[in-house]
Amino acid sequence: MSQPLAVAIAHSNIALIKYWGKSDSARNLPAVPSLSLTLDGLTTTTRVHFDAELAEDHVELDGSVALGREQKRVVALLDRVRALRGFDTRARVASRNDFPTAAGLASSASGFAALALAASTAAGLELPLETVSGLARQSSASAARSLFGGFASLPADSECAHQLAPEGHWDLRLLVAVTEEGRKPLGSTEAMEVTKQSSPYYAAWVAHAPTLYQEAERAIRELQFDALGASMEQSTLMMHASMWATRPAILFLTEGTLAVIHRVRTLRSQGLPCYFTVDAGPHVKVLTEAKHADALQCELTALSQVKRVIPCAAGAGARLISETELAGKVALC
Ligand code: DP6
């Protein structure tokens, strides 16, 4: 093999219009269309090395050997790459996030996007970005969007995501208000499956999601901030409402989350343009225009429930980096 090693970086993305629920669980196809902003902060760096000497895959995440479900999900993606390439060589994978893993900050999105790009390249495959997005999507549907910079879309039932508008299209900021440190108790995959199985609100969610998606897509095209914010907040709260109606209820929103949500609404009523979104975790991501980002950051940082604020602008899509560039960035292992 000519190039058995590759390193890729990918940024996390935050859904402005949420993916929640699968139309086909076995193929991991989304039941609803989603739309995201790729962020310039929250980065995963992943190196994949296919090595004929290895008897099995070796996976290290944030400096620790991955076990159980985490390890299985990585190996499953490597298996798909091996099947495409038609070889059986095992790989050494090392990956590092510059933000807390599995805490509701979309670490699986940047993680599987970086892994899909690094693994397919290391295997010698030169795949179109859409195909790499499809590989990532099979591991975690939100990851399909992180291959693309700026605004990305993953239509319902779709194999892969595509870019709606590049990062320079609109100078927005997403401020991540971290309300708790530590891993979240329940993963998105399980939580959305329970919602589908037991929430009487799930059907209403799936029926209304395309309307929210279309509103948001138009708002992005026409740079209508309030229209985008309104669709984003409704998508967020409809998704959480569908979870609240499961038995037992799934509650990702904590007291801290609600305090930040209320503060955002108050600030908006006082004339600071800002809108909230929350994923499968307690943190609140607050969208604003670049010119208001500093004022908003001061307001959020002042809240006792907020541990820290990570300000993010629109970021680029996943890309390969050289070993030299890697050496200047992070120590992988
Ligand atoms: C709330 O992409 O993590 O962040 O496909 O089962 O891996 P799987 O789910 P995942 O779900 C993300 C859910 C969300 C909303 C979103 O990113 O669209």
Side-chain angles (χ1 to χ4, degrees):
M1 198 178 357
S2 58
Q3 193 189 12
L5 189 153
V7 186
I9 63 170
H11 300 295
S12 178
N13 73 77
I14 297 298
L16 309 181
I17 298 296
K18 305 298 182 191
Y19 147 59
W20 194 255
K22 302 167 200 286
S23 56
D24 184 332
S25 300
R27 294 171 63 208
N28 207 35
L29 292 173
V32 294
S34 59
L35 191 164
S36 61
L37 183 65
T38 298
L39 307 178
D40 65 349
L42 311 183
T43 308
T44 301
T45 306
T46 301
R47 184 209 276 125
V48 177
H49 183 192
F50 285 101
D51 182 349
E53 303 288 304
L54 291 173
E56 53 190 55
D57 294 315
H58 183 269
V59 182
E60 220 172 80
L61 302 179
D62 284 329
S64 308
V65 176
L67 302 166
R69 186 165 178 271
E70 257 181 349
Q71 190 244 11
K72 280 204 181 90
R73 287 178 87 186
V74 172
V75 171
L77 193 149
L78 295 172
D79 284 343
R80 286 195 288 276
V81 167
R82 282 187 279 258
L84 279 176
R85 177 68 169 78
F87 73 3
D88 199 34
T89 311
R90 303 288 115 181
R92 196 179 294 283
V93 176
S95 186
R96 194 170 282 277
N97 292 328
D98 68 357
F99 59 97
T101 302
L105 292 174
S107 56
S108 66
S110 50
F112 284 112
L115 179 66
L117 183 58
S120 56
T121 307
L125 295 164
E126 284 180 22
L127 303 175
L129 212 50
E130 279 71 21
T131 311
V132 181
S133 166
L135 272 174
R137 193 264 313 148
Q138 291 173 73
S139 299
S140 190
S142 55
R145 301 183 308 237
S146 269
L147 271 304
F148 303 95
F151 297 88
S153 157
L154 178 64
D157 299 317
S158 181
E159 297 280 343
C160 61
H162 59 268
Q163 188 179 57
L164 279 181
E167 47 273 35
H169 172 70
W170 195 357
D171 203 5
L172 295 180
R173 295 287 185 275
L174 199 71
L175 274 56
V176 181
V178 176
T179 56
E180 273 168 44
E181 308 288 1
R183 295 169 85 91
K184 60 187 184 183
L186 187 65
S188 309
T189 310
E190 271 172 281
M192 70 176 77
E193 207 48 42
V194 174
T195 311
K196 183 177 174 178
Q197 298 310 330
S198 79
S199 174
Y201 293 174
Y202 181 73
W205 156 252
V206 172
H208 194 62
T211 305
L212 296 174
Y213 175 89
Q214 280 154 19
E215 287 173 6
E217 193 188 20
R218 187 176 332 113
I220 289 168
R221 214 175 33 243
E222 297 173 358
L223 309 180
Q224 300 286 347
F225 183 70
D226 290 318
L228 177 60
S231 306
M232 178 178 83
E233 287 192 355
Q234 194 179 1
S235 175
T236 300
L237 292 178
M238 280 196 75
M239 178 185 82
H240 284 280
S242 74
M243 288 184 242
W244 283 25
T246 62
R247 196 187 295 186
I250 300 168
L251 297 180
F252 284 115
L253 312 187
T254 61
E255 271 175 47
T257 317
L258 292 172
V260 182
I261 287 178
H262 283 293
R263 187 68 188 135
V264 166
R265 284 162 64 96
T266 303
L267 290 170
R268 191 161 76 230
S269 71
Q270 293 169 347
L272 182 60
C274 56
Y275 290 84
F276 63 84
T277 185
V278 184
D279 293 291
H283 317 300
V284 186
K285 292 99 182 192
V286 190
L287 191 68
T288 192
E289 293 163 308
K291 59 185 178 224
H292 300 296
D294 289 347
L296 181 63
Q297 176 149 7
C298 286
E299 294 288 353
L300 296 175
T301 308
L303 291 175
S304 62
Q305 294 86 354
V306 173
K307 307 258 183 265
R308 61 203 166 98
V309 176
I310 311 171
C312 300
R319 68 182 173 92
L320 295 165
I321 63 170
S322 66
E323 285 282 319
T324 326
E325 194 180 340
L326 172 67
K329 278 183 185 295
V330 285
L332 276 181
C333 46

